[in-house]
């Protein structure tokens, strides 16, 4: 780790280590490698998100690829590898803007995606996301105990794979990551071949109603669960019990007796139209409460950042690991970006039914982006810290962004007087929300990257510059891929079309607000449930050592049961593994090996996700690797469950054996334990 007393570096491409020797960090070659990886990952994420409504986290696969490429140079560093994964992950995460922007095509407002307009929306929203994340770093990363599972995993990959830090412990750690990665990749290959099931689920009656339970057979989610810890895992189970144990049976009661009712359709439809909105309500009030609670640390962090900036300007040495982009540049950039926000809205409103209200609507949009953007950045950063970027319910945040934006516009503009004006208001709402959603997607990832940087001794301001570069790369790549997908496949439910599920839902919500058909009662019920959970959490914290994170409960209610079940299972596995580790001779190293196994499970599934996305895009079908398109039915389910359990049992058992095997020297063991503690 770098010396905390190091002076500010003189060059953008170097850092300073303990001996004040230059260490490569933000380099031209790193930017180029990150840009190339961006092209592949972003395109794959756009296609996969439009096809099935899922995207994959790109930071860990980027870290692995970066290490493999940079090994060709003897002077590569772990900090330089970190910059590469930062660029690639920022660009890959920005692709989640597809959860909103295609709505403009779905409602018929756009025929395709105008290149420079789409580039500007992605870039402005993304860079604002970076800027809003910077004041949150000290509050939510440096001075926080949030687990940041993917950030920790990426840091472990970078540290263990650093060829300049060879040791017996790191060699073992690399083998553990490889074993976990191969296990997860093979498992996912078999799922793609339809040999085994990737998910099992069932629908069943509960009294006069019905519910469903399902479990993803995802080893990566086991790894995520191991890293997030038992408290968040239990909170997600509470959310699961509320959604699937109470609300779903309640709202399906009586519907099953209707003529022609199919139990699976009734349960699935009820969850989407009723129960999920209750979960969104819980998330909404939990998000507000979370923001209130972190405002103190955020302001403290901003004050510390301003003090650090003043010291640097006065020539006083500031620890390299505490050097953010200066506050004056940060504030100036945010204010400057509001100009293109206003310009984009102005151009969007020209020659529409809303042209006569341009000044008022531009003002609303600029204030909305400025204020709601900060709120969204804090909430998404907190969610990423809880359960990781790839599992955060970012679409739930999108729902809240659109509803709040539509209500604000409705309050200021009033009800529309014609169908043309209504359609224009819906389109304007989606366009404005797309900018804020860009903030959400990036802040959902940036703090995860900054956590990785903290653990590998990166310079924050250089990583923040890399995040902006990543947003730039992603903004250039996303529009042509989106336009190609719209023209080649189209969006909808017809055969051959891309479903774009989140964009379709969010577009329907905007229509619901302006048409008066939104399920406000469900959202209000969720807010009431959220208030009760917040009170319980505060009482638990005051009277015990336990907690019930309200946002985690809300996520447990909102997310599909396939995620809500398996992540807590991973949390319990990690909990019992750590209890066993505490009884060993070297508990810190043993726990770290458990973290490395969890990391490997995430790495393997992520890398296969990239490969499979490319195969799907090339073949034009998501069954390109399937031996039998429809799978093998019950046999696949049983085989999937058995293999899933066997792999988890086998890998953890093997890691236990590796952990208790003595290292070659006591001195080496002692040194490496210290590394584990610092991580």
């Amino acid at each position: 780790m770098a010396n905390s007393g190091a002076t500010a570096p003189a060059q953008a491409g170097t850092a300073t280590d303990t001996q004040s020797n230059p260490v490569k960090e933000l380099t031209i070659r790193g930017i180029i490698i990150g840009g190339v990886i961006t092209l592949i990952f972003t395109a794959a994420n756009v296609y996969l998100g439009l096809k099935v409504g899922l995207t994959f986290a790109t930071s860990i696969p980027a870290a692995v690829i970066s290490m493999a490429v940079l090994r060709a140079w003897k002077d590569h560093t772990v900090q330089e590898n970190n910059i590469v994964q930062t660029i690639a992950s920022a660009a890959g995460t920005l692709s989640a803007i597809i959860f909103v922007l295609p709505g403009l095509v779905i409602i018929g407002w756009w025929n395709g995606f105008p290149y420079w307009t789409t580039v500007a929306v992605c870039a402005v929203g993304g860079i604002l996301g970076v800027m809003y994340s910077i004041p949150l770093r000290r509050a939510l990363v440096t001075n926080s105990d949030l687990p940041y599972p993917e950030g920790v995993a990426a840091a472990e990959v970078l540290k263990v794979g650093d060829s300049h830090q060879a040791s017996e412990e790191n060699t073992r750690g690399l083998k553990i990551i490889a074993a976990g990665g191969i296990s997860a990749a093979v498992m996912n290959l078999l799922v793609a071949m339809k040999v085994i099931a990737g998910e099992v689920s069932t629908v069943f009656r509960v009294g006069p109603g019905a519910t469903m339970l399902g479990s993803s057979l995802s080893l990566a989610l086991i790894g995520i669960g191991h890293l997030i810890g038992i408290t968040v895992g239990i909170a997600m189970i509470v959310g699961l019990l509320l959604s699937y144990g109470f609300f779903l049976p309640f709202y399906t009661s009586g519907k099953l007796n209707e003529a022609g009712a199919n139990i699976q359709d009734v349960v699935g439809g009820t969850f989407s139209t009723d129960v999920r909105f209750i979960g969104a309500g819980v998330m909404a009030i939990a998000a507000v409460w979370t923001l209130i609670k972190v405002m103190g640390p955020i302001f403290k962090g901003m004050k510390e950042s301003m003090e650090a900036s003043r010291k640097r300007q006065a020539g006083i040495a500031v620890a390299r690991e505490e050097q953010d982009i200066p506050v004056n540049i940060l504030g100036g950039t945010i204010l400057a970006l509001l100009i293109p926000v206003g310009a984009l809205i102005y151009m969007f409103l020209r020659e529409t039914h809303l042209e006569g209200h341009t000044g008022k609507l531009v003002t609303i949009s600029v204030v909305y982006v400025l204020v709601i953007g900060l709120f969204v950045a804090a909430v998404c950063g907190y969610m990423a810290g809880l359960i990781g970027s790839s599992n955060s319910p970012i679409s739930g945040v999108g729902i809240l962004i659109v509803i709040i934006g539509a209500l604000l516009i409705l309050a200021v503009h009033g009800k529309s007087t014609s169908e043309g004006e209504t359609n224009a208001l819906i389109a304007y709402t989606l366009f404005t929300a797309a900018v804020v959603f860009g903030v959400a997607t990036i802040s959902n990832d940036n703090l995860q990257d900054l956590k990785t940087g903290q653990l590998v001794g990166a310079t924050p301001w250089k990583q923040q510059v890399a995040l902006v570069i990543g947003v730039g790369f992603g903004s250039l790549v996303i529009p042509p891929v989106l336009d190609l997908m719209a023209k080649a496949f189209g969006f909808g439910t017809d055969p051959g079309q891309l479903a774009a599920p989140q964009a379709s839902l969010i577009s329907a919500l905007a229509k619901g607000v302006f048409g008066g058909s939104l399920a406000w009662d469900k959202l209000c019920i969720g807010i009431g449930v959220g208030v009760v959970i917040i009170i319980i959490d505060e009482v638990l914290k005051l009277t015990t050592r336990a907690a019930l994170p309200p946002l985690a409960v809300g996520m447990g209610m909102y997310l599909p049961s396939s995620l809500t079940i398996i992540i807590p299972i991973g949390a319990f596995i990690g909990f019992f593994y750590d209890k066993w580790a505490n009884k060993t001779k070297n508990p810190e190293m043993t726990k770290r090996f458990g973290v490395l196994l969890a990391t490997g499970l995430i790495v393997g599934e992520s890398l296969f996700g990239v490969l499979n996305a490319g195969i799907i895009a090339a073949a034009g079908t998501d069954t390109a690797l399937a031996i039998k398109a429809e799978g093998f039915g019950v046999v696949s389910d049983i085989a999937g469950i058995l293999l899933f359990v066997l792999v988890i049992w086998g890998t953890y058992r093997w890691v236990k054996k590796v952990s208790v095997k003595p290292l070659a020297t006591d001195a080496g063991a002692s040194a490496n334990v210290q590394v584990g503690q610092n991580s």
Side-chain angles (χ1 to χ4, degrees):
M1 298 289 288
N3 181 6
S4 60
T7 56
Q11 301 181 51
T14 62
T16 307
D17 66 6
T18 310
Q19 288 78 32
S20 299
N21 294 323
V23 177
K24 290 185 179 296
E25 190 166 1
L26 185 61
T27 63
I28 297 297
R29 72 187 180 199
I31 292 171
I32 293 171
I33 295 169
V36 173
I37 296 173
T38 288
L39 294 174
I40 302 167
F41 284 8
T42 304
N45 250 345
V46 169
Y47 179 81
L48 210 59
L50 292 172
K51 179 86 175 170
V52 297
L54 297 172
T55 57
F56 55 86
T58 55
S59 59
I60 293 172
V64 174
I65 294 172
S66 168
M67 286 190 305
V69 175
L70 283 176
R71 280 176 182 270
W73 288 272
K74 292 183 179 180
D75 61 344
H76 72 273
T77 66
V78 68
Q79 290 87 2
E80 187 180 15
N81 273 312
N82 178 56
I83 290 293
V84 175
Q85 74 83 18
T86 296
I87 291 172
S89 68
T93 301
L94 187 60
S95 61
I97 203 166
I98 61 172
F99 293 163
V100 175
L101 211 51
L104 290 165
V105 174
I106 291 170
I107 67 172
W109 193 261
W110 281 355
N111 293 321
F113 295 89
Y115 183 76
W116 289 112
T117 300
T118 310
V119 167
V121 169
C122 294
V124 170
I127 296 173
L128 275 173
V130 175
M131 296 300 119
Y132 280 141
S133 315
I134 293 170
L136 302 175
R137 182 186 68 84
R138 294 171 189 267
L140 297 182
V141 176
T142 306
N143 302 319
S144 168
D145 57 358
L146 290 169
Y148 287 99
E150 288 162 355
V152 171
E156 292 294 348
V157 169
L158 291 170
K159 288 190 291 184
V160 171
D162 184 13
S163 58
H164 299 311
Q165 300 293 329
S167 69
E168 187 180 353
E169 183 184 337
N170 273 11
T171 300
R172 288 190 194 180
L174 197 56
K175 289 179 180 177
I176 290 171
I177 290 179
I182 292 170
S183 299
V186 170
M187 183 92 178
N188 277 268
L189 174 61
L190 294 174
V191 171
M193 294 171 68
K194 301 285 186 179
V195 173
I196 62 173
E199 181 178 323
V200 291
S201 61
T202 184
V203 178
F204 54 92
R205 286 180 173 269
V206 178
T211 190
M212 60 181 176
L213 282 179
S215 177
S216 169
L217 302 178
S218 166
L219 293 172
L221 294 180
I222 292 292
I224 292 289
H226 183 129
L227 296 175
I228 65 170
I230 195 71
T231 300
V232 176
I234 290 173
M236 292 184 73
I237 291 175
V238 171
L240 171 79
L241 293 174
L242 286 171
S243 273
Y244 293 91
F246 177 72
F247 287 113
L248 193 51
F250 177 80
Y251 282 108
T252 53
S253 180
K255 293 183 180 180
L256 300 176
N257 298 325
E258 296 174 2
N262 178 286
I263 184 172
Q264 194 153 357
D265 292 341
V266 169
V267 171
T270 303
F271 179 76
S272 298
T273 59
D274 294 324
V275 178
R276 205 165 198 186
F277 278 95
I278 297 175
V282 174
M283 285 176 55
I285 191 65
V288 172
W289 180 247
T290 298
L291 183 63
I292 292 171
K293 295 200 71 174
V294 300
M295 283 308 293
I298 288 172
F299 285 128
K300 181 182 177 183
M302 292 175 69
K303 182 181 177 182
E304 290 173 354
S305 183
M306 293 173 68
E307 289 174 355
S309 294
R310 283 195 292 267
K311 287 181 180 179
R312 289 174 66 187
Q313 290 172 355
I316 301 172
V318 176
R320 180 174 60 80
E321 296 90 338
E322 295 302 320
Q323 296 176 8
D324 291 298
I325 288 177
V327 172
N328 57 339
I329 296 177
L330 172 67
T333 303
I334 291 174
L335 293 176
L337 285 171
L338 296 179
I339 297 172
V341 169
L344 282 168
I345 300 299
Y346 173 78
M347 290 186 290
F348 186 84
L349 293 172
R350 284 189 309 171
E351 299 179 5
T352 71
H353 287 78
L354 302 175
E355 192 170 19
H357 307 280
T358 299
K360 179 170 61 176
L361 293 178
V362 167
T363 303
I364 293 171
S365 293
V366 170
V367 173
Y368 178 68
V369 170
L370 179 65
V371 177
I372 300 299
L374 181 58
F375 167 78
V376 162
V379 171
C380 287
Y382 192 89
M383 288 196 309
L386 273 180
I387 65 169
S389 304
S390 55
N391 296 299
S392 292
I394 193 74
S395 60
V397 175
I399 288 171
L400 298 176
I401 289 171
V402 168
I403 291 175
I404 293 170
L407 287 174
L408 179 63
I409 292 163
L410 196 61
V412 175
H413 178 272
K415 290 186 178 182
S416 59
T417 56
S418 66
E419 184 180 351
E421 191 176 37
T422 299
N423 291 336
L425 284 170
I426 293 168
Y428 161 65
T429 301
L430 292 174
F431 189 77
T432 303
V435 178
V436 182
F437 200 73
V439 175
T441 61
I442 289 299
S443 54
N444 188 51
D445 173 75
N446 280 8
L447 293 177
Q448 203 84 245
D449 286 329
L450 292 172
K451 182 64 177 181
T452 301
Q454 179 200 22
L455 296 176
V456 301
T459 308
W461 74 263
K462 292 180 182 178
Q463 198 172 6
Q464 290 152 8
V465 169
L467 288 165
V468 173
I469 293 170
V471 167
F473 280 134
S475 299
L476 295 173
V477 174
I478 290 170
V481 178
L482 267 176
D483 200 51
L484 176 64
M485 296 299 156
K487 291 175 180 176
F489 301 103
F491 305 130
T493 57
D494 293 339
Q497 289 187 318
L498 298 173
Q502 286 90 345
S504 298
L505 172 63
I506 287 172
S507 302
L509 288 175
K511 291 179 181 179
V513 172
F514 291 106
S517 60
L518 194 64
W520 291 110
D521 56 331
K522 309 300 187 305
L523 285 168
C524 291
I525 289 170
I527 290 171
V529 171
V531 169
V532 173
I533 293 167
I534 288 169
I535 293 170
I536 293 171
D537 179 52
E538 292 302 312
V539 171
L540 284 173
K541 288 176 180 176
L542 287 172
T543 58
T544 69
R545 296 177 62 185
L548 188 68
L551 200 53
V553 175
M555 289 188 284
M557 295 180 69
Y558 179 85
L559 291 170
S561 62
S562 57
L563 296 180
T564 313
I565 289 176
I566 207 69
I567 291 176
I569 288 175
F572 277 100
I573 290 173
F575 173 76
F576 288 115
Y577 176 88
D578 286 349
K579 282 193 71 173
W580 169 82
N582 285 329
K583 301 175 184 176
T584 63
K585 290 183 178 179
N586 196 339
E588 292 303 322
M589 185 188 74
T590 305
K591 287 180 183 178
R592 184 175 181 232
F593 282 168
V595 168
L596 293 177
L597 175 59
T599 299
L601 298 177
I602 300 168
V603 168
E605 190 159 316
S606 299
L607 287 175
F608 182 81
V610 175
L611 176 63
N612 194 37
I615 294 171
I616 289 171
T621 173
D622 56 2
T623 58
L625 294 175
I627 295 174
K628 188 178 179 183
E630 66 275 15
F632 296 93
V634 178
V635 175
S636 295
D637 292 346
I638 295 172
I641 294 170
L642 290 176
L643 185 60
F644 183 66
V645 173
L646 184 62
V647 170
I648 294 171
W649 176 81
T651 51
Y652 272 92
R653 181 179 173 84
W654 175 71
V655 169
K656 283 185 174 183
K657 288 183 179 180
V658 172
S659 300
V660 297
K661 184 180 178 182
L663 294 171
T665 63
D666 292 337
S670 175
N672 284 303
V673 168
Q674 185 62 41
V675 172
Q677 290 170 338
N678 288 338
S679 68

